[in-house]
Amino acid sequence: MQVLENSASFQYFLPEMILGLTLLVVLILDLNEELSKSRLIAPWTAAVGIILYVAVSLMMRVQLPAAITFHGMMANDSFTDFFRVFSGASALLAVFLSVQSKELQDVKVEYWILLLGITLGMPVLAGANNLLMIYLAMEMVSILSYIVVGYLRKSRQSSEAALKYVLYGATASGIMIYGLSIIFGVAGSLDVLEIQKFLINNPVGTGRIALFVGLLMTLAGFGYKISAVPFHMWAPDVYQGAPTPVTAFLSVGPKAAGFAILLRFTYTALAQFNVDTQVFTPLKYLDITGLMAVLAVLTMTVGNFLAIQQTNTKRFLAYSSIAHAGYMLIAAATLSTLALQGVLFYLVAYFIMNMGAFAVTIMVINATGSEELSSFKGLAKRSGGGALIAMLMAVFMFSLVGLPPTFGFVGKFYLFMSVIKAKLYWLAVIGVINSVVSLYYYLRVVKYMYFDEAEDEKSLGLKGFAFPGVVTSLGLVTLILGIYWEPIAVFVQESANMILK
Amino acid sequence: MDMPILSITAFAPLLGMLIIGLIPKAKENLIRWTALIATFPSLLGAVKIFMDFDRSSAAIQFQEGPFNWIPAFNIQYYFGLDGLSVTMVILTALISTICILASWKVTKQIKGYFALFLLLETGMMGTFMALDFFLFFVFWEIMLLPMYFLIGIWGGARREYAAIKFFLYTMFGSVLMMLVMVALYLNIGTFNMVAMQDQALIMSEFSHWARTLCWLGLFVGFAVKVPVFPFHTWLPDAHVEAPTAISVILAGVLLKMGTYGILRFNFQIFPDITVEMAKWLAVLGVINIVYGALCAMAQRDFKKLIAYSSVSHMGFVLLGMASFTSEGLNGAVLQMFNHGTITAQLFLIVGILYDRAHHREINGFGGMSSIMPRYAVWTTIAFFAAIGLPGLSGFISEALIFLGSFQQWPLLTTVAVSSVVLSAAYMLWTLQRVYLGKINEKYKDFPDISAREAFCLFPLALIVLVLGVYPKPILNMMMTSLDNINQVLGQHGAPLLTTFLNK
C-alpha cells in the first residue's frame, strides 16, 4: 500500500478542508454586525458547508484510489468515506433540529462552530491509522462535545451533565492513552499497520500480558465513546441534561465515530485479513472476539433492562442507545466482512430511526415543555398534528425494536446474520431475547400515545412544513428502506473496504 | 402474462387501507363500505382459486415469481399455493369479509379500526402465500402490528395487558424463527422455501444436532401461535379482550398459521427430525386436547370458554399431523379449516350476546332461546359442530384424525377421544345455562338476531352443514399435496401405514 507524503495527501483531505473553511466563514460572518443579528444565517452557512462536504466526499469516493496519507497518519479508504458521509448527514440533521428546537432559540454563533468542529473530528477519527491520531481525533470530538452538552448555561442539568461528561471523559481518555502507550511500548510503533505486522511476526507472544492490558485500556476509551457497559455511566445523565438536539447528535454521530475507530483498530491492528478467502483471522493470544462478545452481552442486557424503568424520555432514549451499541458489538465481535457490513448498515438504520425518535421528542418537548415520557400520553388523539407525529413515533419505535417492514429490522437481520455465520449461536440467542425485552419498553411509548388518555388536551400547535416534513420523510425512509434496501446494501458493501485489502 | 391472482388477493386490502387513509374521519359509512369493498377482490380471488385449483397436482400453483427483490441476499418475491395453503387462503378471504360485516357496529375511531383490519388481512394472506422465507417472515411480523393495536385500542377492560402479552409471546417465537431463517440462508444460500426442501442439501449442510436445533427454533416460533401448551397462556387473554371480529380472526385464521408453519417448515425442511419428534408432537397435542377441554369446562366467562375450546381443538391438529397417515394429516388440515369456520361462528355468537347484555357471565343468562329463538338456532348449529356431531363438518375432521392417529398412537388417541365427552359436556352445559332454563327477566326485551348478524353466520353455517355431509370439495384440494408430505416423511423413516382414504 502506498504511503503518501504530506503534499500528495492534501487532495485526500479536500472535504475536511471545505468543512474547516465553513467553520471559519461562520466565524467571520458573526463579526459583521448586520449579519450576526440574523438568527438563521449561521446555521444556513453551516448547512451549505456540510452539504458541500458530503457531496465532495461522495465524489472523491469514486475518483481517488484508497491510500494512506500524511506519512501514515490517516487511512483514506472507502470506510473513511462512509463515515464522512455519515458524519455530514448526522450533522446536517443536528443543525436542522437545533434550529427547530425551542431550547436552543438564542444560541450564539459558537454553537454552530462547535457542531462543525465535532463533525470535522468524526471522519478523522474514522480514518485514523496511528495511535496518536486516534487520540487526537478522539479528544477533538470529546472536548467539543463537553462544551455543547453544557451549552445551556442557565440550566443546572445541562451544566451538571457537562461536568459529568468531562470527568468521565477525562478518565476514559487518560486510561486509553495509557493503554496506547503500553501498546506502543511493546509493539515499538504508533502506526496501526506496523502494530499488526509486529503481532503477526510475534507468534510466541512476547509481552502478551502487557499487550492485553494495553488493549483492555484502549478498549475502555473506545467503549466510553460508544457508551458500552461498563463505560456507559455518563450516558444517561449527559443525554438527559444536554439540549435535546445535541443529545440526538451525540447518540448518533460521535457514537458512530467511536464504532468506526473500534472497527478499524480491531480489524486492522488485531486481525489479519486474507484477501483471497475474505476472512479475518484474529491474531493469536489476543482473544478480541471473546472480549467484545462479553462487552456486547453486558451492554445489551444492561441497556435494555434499565430502559424499562425510565420515565424521562431522554434518559429512556439514552438506555435504548446503549442497548443498540450492544447489538452492534455482537456483530463487531465476530471479526468478519459480513460483520463489518452489518455494523455499517445498522449505523445507517440506527441513524435514521434514532434521529427520527429524537425529532419527535423535540416536537413534544416544544409543545408541552415536558421531558417526561408521560407527556406522550394520548398523543395520537391530540389536535395540532398529534395523529401524524404519533404515527411517526410508532414507526420509529417499531424500527428500533426491529420489526419488519422497517429499516431497523433489516439492520438486525444483518447483525444476527454475521453472528450466526460466526457460529456464535449463544450470542445470537442472547441478542434476540434482548430485542424481545426491548419490545416491552418501546411498546410502552406506543401504548402511551395510542391507548392512554392525554393528561393535557391542549393542541400541540404544530406549525409549518419544514419540521413535520423532515420527520415524515425520515419515517417514510424507515419504511421504504425496510422493504427495499438494495441500494444501501450495495453502498455498505463498497464501504466495508478497509485499506488492508 | 396471466393475471397475478395471488398478488391481487393479497394486496387489494392494502390498497383499501391506503384509500381509507385518505377519507376524512367523519365519513364513517363511507369508511365502512370502502373496507367491505376492499375485501371483495380477495373474496373473488379466493373463489377463482377454489374453482381453478388443480386438485390432482401436488405442485405449486398460481405461481408468481420468483422475482428478484433484494439480489444482494438472494431474497425473492415468490408467491404460490399448494394443497396445504390453498384452503387457508380461502378461509382467510371468507373470514375477513365476514369480520368486516361483524365490525359494522364499531363506533370508536372507525378509520383506524378498518385501516388496521385491512392491513391485517394482507398480512395473513401474504403469510399463507409466500414461498420465500424472508417474505413469509415479513408478512408474519406485519400481522402483529395491527393485531396489537386492534386488541389494545378496541378491546375490553384488560386490553392493554392482553395486547402486550400477545405481542411479547409472538415476538419471542418469531425471533427464534428468524435465527433459523438466517442459519438456513447462510448454509443453503437461498430463502426460497421450495429449494430449502432439497434434502440432499439439508443433510450435507446441517449436522443432526444442528437440524434438531433448527427444528426446535422453528417449532417454538409456531407453537406460540398455535398455541401449544405451555405457550398458550396469551390466548385466553387475547381472545377475551379482543373485540368480537378480532377474536374471530385470531381463532379463525391466526392460530392456523402456527400449524401451517409447522407443516410447511418443520415437516418439509427437516422431515427426519419431524419423524423423531412426532411422539412429542402427539403428546403435546393430547395435552392440548385434554387440558384445553378441562379448562374450558371450568370457565364462567362465555368467551374464555370458547377460547379454551380452541386450545383443545388445535390439539387435534397436532395429533393428526403426528400420525403419518393420510387420514391423520388430511384430517389435521381439514380440522384447521373446520375449526376456522366453527370457532368463527362461536365467537360471533358470543359477540351478539355481548352486544346486547354487555357481559359474558355464563351464569348470568338463562332462557335465551325463548327470548331470541332464531339466534338459538344458529347457536345450536355452531355448538353441535364444535362438539363434533355427525353430519356437521367438525365430525369429519375429528373422525379422520382419530382414524389416523389410532393406528400410530393407540394409547394417546384413547386419551384424546375422552375429550369428545368433555367437549360435549362443556358445550351442552353452556347451552343449558345460557339458552335453556328459566328466563332471565332482565333480558326479555332483547331483539332477536338482526339480518346483518345472521348474514355473517349464514355462510359459515352453510359450510359446516355442507362439509359435514360432503367434505370432498375441500378435502380433495389438499389430499395430493399432503400425501406428498407423508411420502417424504416416509423416506425419512416415518412408519407410514396403509390408508383407507382414496381420492
Side-chain angles (χ1 to χ4, degrees):
Chain A
M1 180 53 62
Q2 192 186 7
V3 179
L4 300 176
E5 47 156 348
N6 286 346
S7 57
S9 303
F10 270 111
Q11 49 173 336
Y12 283 92
F13 217 55
L14 182 66
E16 278 74 22
M17 286 194 281
I18 292 175
L19 208 55
L21 202 65
T22 316
L23 200 150
L24 292 176
V25 170
V26 174
L27 195 61
I28 291 166
L29 280 178
D30 190 54
L31 296 178
N32 183 318
E33 212 162 311
E34 285 302 304
L35 289 175
S36 70
K37 273 180 200 150
S38 158
R39 205 176 69 81
L40 287 177
I41 188 99
W44 267 110
T45 319
V48 169
I50 293 168
I51 291 169
L52 216 61
Y53 169 71
V54 172
V56 173
S57 305
L58 280 173
M59 253 172 348
M60 287 193 25
R61 192 185 157 83
V62 192
Q63 281 171 354
L64 285 178
I68 294 193
T69 54
F70 297 106
H71 294 293
M73 280 295 179
M74 294 278 297
N76 277 84
D77 44 27
S78 52
F79 185 77
T80 312
D81 288 334
F82 173 88
F83 282 96
R84 280 174 163 156
V85 178
F86 191 91
S87 314
S90 58
L92 198 61
L93 257 176
V95 168
F96 179 77
L97 293 179
S98 304
V99 171
Q100 298 292 340
S101 168
K102 275 190 187 161
E103 288 169 82
L104 293 170
Q105 279 309 288
D106 17 69
V107 289
K108 298 275 180 331
V109 71
E110 68 263 16
Y111 175 80
W112 311 107
I113 292 172
L114 290 169
L115 276 190
L116 285 170
I118 298 174
T119 316
L120 185 56
M122 291 189 298
V124 177
L125 182 56
N129 188 47
N130 184 295
L131 298 186
L132 270 184
M133 202 63 202
I134 292 176
Y135 183 73
L136 284 176
M138 188 93 119
E139 287 302 286
M140 179 168 185
V141 174
S142 297
I143 293 175
L144 298 181
S145 306
Y146 305 148
I147 309 175
V148 283
V149 165
Y151 196 78
L152 299 174
R153 263 155 298 187
K154 285 172 195 149
S155 151
R156 266 191 68 187
Q157 270 194 337
S158 176
S159 314
E160 185 195 323
L163 188 62
K164 270 193 183 145
Y165 201 15
V166 171
L167 289 178
Y168 273 107
T171 315
S173 72
I175 292 175
M176 184 177 87
I177 198 161
Y178 190 32
L180 293 178
S181 69
I182 292 175
I183 294 176
F184 170 64
V186 178
S189 173
L190 287 168
D191 191 300
V192 169
L193 297 177
E194 292 295 324
I195 294 172
Q196 186 204 31
K197 252 182 228 148
F198 169 80
L199 290 174
I200 294 172
N201 300 326
N202 180 20
V204 287
T206 313
R208 58 201 285 181
I209 297 175
L211 262 178
F212 190 74
V213 172
L215 177 66
L216 263 186
M217 291 175 142
T218 312
L219 276 185
F222 298 157
Y224 157 79
K225 206 81 228 135
I226 61 174
S227 64
V229 175
F231 318 109
H232 69 289
M233 264 80 135
W234 60 275
D237 290 323
V238 170
Y239 279 33
Q240 185 181 0
T244 318
V246 172
T247 311
F249 185 48
L250 286 185
S251 74
V252 173
K255 177 173 267 195
F259 264 104
I261 191 57
L262 176 74
L263 289 174
R264 185 178 290 282
F265 186 75
T266 48
Y267 280 57
T268 55
L270 306 178
Q272 194 177 7
F273 184 66
N274 185 329
V275 184
D276 299 325
T277 56
Q278 295 280 308
V279 171
F280 284 93
T281 330
L283 294 175
K284 284 195 189 111
Y285 61 84
L286 283 176
D287 183 14
I288 187 69
T289 300
L291 207 57
M292 287 213 279
V294 171
L295 270 187
V297 169
L298 280 176
T299 307
M300 286 188 294
T301 315
V302 169
N304 278 321
F305 279 91
L306 291 185
I308 291 176
Q309 26 182 313
Q310 299 310 316
T311 54
N312 178 292
T313 315
K314 282 153 79 180
R315 258 188 120 73
F316 159 79
L317 287 169
Y319 280 107
S320 123
S321 97
I322 291 173
H324 284 275
Y327 298 136
M328 287 186 264
L329 270 177
I330 58 170
T334 63
L335 289 182
S336 62
T337 324
L338 197 59
L340 215 49
Q341 291 177 20
V343 175
L344 295 187
F345 193 96
Y346 200 81
L347 280 172
V348 178
Y350 175 71
F351 162 68
I352 293 171
M353 60 203 184
N354 210 46
M355 278 292 193
F358 268 108
V360 175
T361 307
I362 291 173
M363 282 176 168
V364 172
I365 293 176
N366 277 353
T368 62
S370 158
E371 288 182 1
E372 292 302 302
L373 264 181
S374 58
S375 59
F376 279 90
K377 279 189 179 166
L379 195 67
K381 289 162 220 151
R382 290 178 68 167
S383 56
L388 174 71
I389 65 176
M391 196 190 293
L392 290 169
M393 189 65 170
V395 168
F396 298 132
M397 289 293 120
F398 287 133
S399 182
L400 284 166
V401 179
L403 284 172
T406 61
F407 202 23
F409 162 67
V410 188
K412 283 239 170 89
F413 169 70
Y414 261 84
L415 295 183
F416 288 123
M417 190 145 63
S418 61
V419 179
I420 296 225
K421 185 150 196 192
K423 303 202 188 305
L424 294 168
Y425 304 118
W426 61 276
L427 199 56
V429 170
I430 296 180
V432 292
I433 288 180
N434 258 289
S435 45
V436 178
V437 173
S438 79
L439 174 71
Y440 178 75
Y441 62 80
Y442 288 122
L443 272 189
R444 202 165 50 141
V445 179
V446 177
K447 171 184 116 78
Y448 278 165
M449 294 189 300
Y450 283 93
F451 300 175
D452 289 353
E453 292 306 318
E455 290 173 346
D456 176 6
E457 295 293 337
K458 212 170 63 199
S459 161
L460 288 170
L462 198 62
K463 281 194 291 281
F465 286 106
F467 201 7
V470 167
V471 185
T472 309
S473 35
L474 281 179
L476 283 177
V477 167
T478 308
L479 288 176
I480 291 168
L481 290 181
I483 293 167
Y484 187 74
W485 70 90
E486 178 78 10
I488 308 289
V490 173
F491 183 70
V492 160
Q493 228 158 26
E494 288 164 0
S495 302
N497 254 324
M498 279 200 232
I499 204 133
L500 284 189
K501 298 186 186 179
Chain B
M1 198 180 119
D2 293 339
M3 205 165 56
I5 293 179
L6 294 189
S7 293
I8 293 172
T9 309
F11 291 112
L14 191 69
L15 185 69
M17 178 189 104
L18 297 177
I19 294 171
I20 285 183
L22 299 174
I23 301 175
K25 234 189 279 181
K27 301 201 169 169
E28 300 193 340
N29 268 324
L30 186 62
I31 291 173
R32 287 192 185 102
W33 281 103
T34 314
L36 185 63
I37 290 165
T39 65
F40 286 170
S42 310
L43 199 59
L44 290 175
V47 171
K48 179 140 176 67
I49 289 166
F50 180 74
M51 311 285 262
D52 292 358
F53 190 80
D54 178 0
R55 285 150 168 82
S56 62
S57 157
I60 302 291
Q61 304 183 32
F62 300 100
Q63 193 154 247
E64 284 169 29
F67 306 114
N68 278 339
W69 173 17
I70 309 286
F73 288 97
N74 202 4
I75 295 171
Q76 294 165 331
Y77 178 85
Y78 186 15
F79 270 177
L81 292 180
D82 64 0
L84 179 56
S85 47
V86 66
T87 51
M88 292 297 110
V89 167
I90 294 169
L91 181 71
T92 307
L94 180 72
I95 302 253
S96 298
T97 306
I98 290 173
C99 283
I100 294 269
L101 272 175
S103 308
W104 217 253
K105 286 280 155 65
V106 170
T107 48
K108 190 176 168 188
Q109 299 175 48
I110 288 179
K111 186 170 163 176
Y113 181 90
F114 285 107
L116 287 169
F117 190 96
L118 291 173
L119 179 61
L120 181 65
E121 187 182 351
T122 294
M124 295 186 296
M125 286 288 187
T127 308
F128 288 127
M129 291 171 178
L131 287 176
D132 179 283
F133 202 161
F134 195 90
L135 188 64
F136 171 88
F137 188 76
V138 168
F139 280 117
W140 175 276
E141 296 272 279
I142 279 183
M143 245 163 25
L144 298 182
L145 303 177
M147 209 51 177
Y148 169 70
F149 285 107
L150 286 167
I151 299 174
I153 298 180
W154 289 272
R158 287 168 73 235
R159 53 180 185 259
E160 285 166 15
Y161 170 76
I164 197 154
K165 194 169 177 184
F166 163 78
F167 209 154
L168 284 173
Y169 269 64
T170 340
M171 174 91 178
F172 171 75
S174 54
V175 290
L176 293 180
M177 198 204 306
M178 182 182 90
L179 292 183
V180 178
M181 169 175 92
V182 170
L184 277 167
Y185 165 70
L186 286 173
N187 287 296
I188 297 181
T190 176
F191 285 98
N192 187 316
M193 282 151 61
V194 180
M196 276 181 188
Q197 293 168 12
D198 180 355
Q199 285 309 307
L201 215 56
I202 292 279
M203 293 292 175
S204 65
E205 296 296 324
F206 288 88
S207 64
H208 181 265
W209 184 78
R211 289 199 300 275
T212 312
L213 217 59
C214 286
W215 194 94
L216 285 174
L218 289 169
F219 180 72
V220 171
F222 297 124
V224 170
K225 206 81 159 194
V226 173
V228 177
F229 179 90
F231 304 107
H232 68 285
T233 57
W234 64 269
L235 180 131
D237 287 307
H239 277 55
V240 169
E241 299 307 326
T244 301
I246 303 309
S247 305
V248 173
I249 290 279
L250 265 173
V253 183
L254 251 67
L255 304 192
K256 277 79 205 168
M257 280 174 185
T259 41
Y260 167 77
I262 294 174
L263 286 171
R264 174 71 78 201
F265 292 90
N266 292 50
F267 272 57
Q268 301 192 41
I269 297 177
F270 302 108
D272 58 324
I273 309 294
T274 307
V275 174
E276 287 167 28
M277 295 287 185
K279 183 172 55 188
W280 298 109
L281 269 182
V283 168
L284 284 171
V286 172
I287 294 178
N288 256 38
I289 294 172
V290 178
Y291 174 83
L294 288 174
C295 284
M297 193 134 41
Q299 298 310 318
R300 273 189 274 168
D301 183 313
F302 202 162
K303 213 170 175 185
K304 217 166 187 167
L305 180 141
I306 311 274
Y308 273 111
S309 82
S310 284
V311 174
S312 178
H313 285 136
M314 291 308 285
F316 285 111
V317 181
L318 287 177
L319 183 63
M321 279 166 20
S323 73
F324 306 128
T325 55
S326 184
E327 290 87 357
L329 195 56
N330 282 296
V333 179
L334 186 63
Q335 168 80 351
M336 282 157 68
F337 186 83
N338 288 344
H339 177 254
T341 48
I342 295 169
T343 345
Q345 290 182 69
L346 294 175
F347 276 112
L348 288 170
I349 281 163
V350 180
I352 290 168
L353 205 56
Y354 182 76
D355 280 346
R356 290 167 172 72
H358 300 290
H359 77 86
R360 292 183 300 254
E361 276 296 311
I362 296 176
N363 293 322
F365 297 98
M368 297 311 287
S369 61
S370 327
I371 303 169
M372 302 159 72
R374 276 181 288 141
Y375 169 62
V377 174
W378 293 106
T379 310
T380 317
I381 296 174
F383 269 41
F384 281 115
I387 295 169
L389 191 78
L392 298 170
S393 67
F395 170 74
I396 308 274
S397 47
E398 284 180 22
L400 279 174
I401 289 169
F402 286 140
L403 265 176
S405 70
F406 188 76
Q407 306 171 53
Q408 202 73 257
W409 319 103
L411 191 66
L412 285 170
T413 309
T414 315
V415 179
V417 170
S418 72
S419 75
V420 172
V421 183
L422 292 179
S423 73
Y426 64 75
M427 278 303 187
L428 292 178
W429 193 27
T430 309
L431 202 63
Q432 179 207 330
R433 283 180 291 174
V434 176
Y435 296 89
L436 307 175
K438 214 171 119 233
I439 291 180
N440 189 334
E441 289 300 320
K442 259 197 298 187
Y443 304 134
K444 74 174 188 310
D445 298 329
F446 277 0
D448 205 343
I449 189 167
S450 73
R452 178 183 60 85
E453 288 161 346
F455 192 71
C456 290
L457 288 169
F458 173 72
L460 297 171
L462 187 71
I463 289 172
V464 165
L465 289 167
V466 170
L467 291 186
V469 286
Y470 189 63
K472 207 172 171 192
I474 293 292
L475 204 51
N476 69 4
M477 284 177 108
M478 57 183 69
M479 222 183 250
T480 321
S481 295
L482 296 185
D483 285 344
N484 227 26
I485 295 179
N486 262 339
Q487 289 308 321
V488 174
L489 290 170
Q491 286 159 18
H492 290 87
L496 292 190
L497 295 166
T498 45
T499 158
F500 311 108
L501 216 59
N502 52 43
K503 292 162 205 162

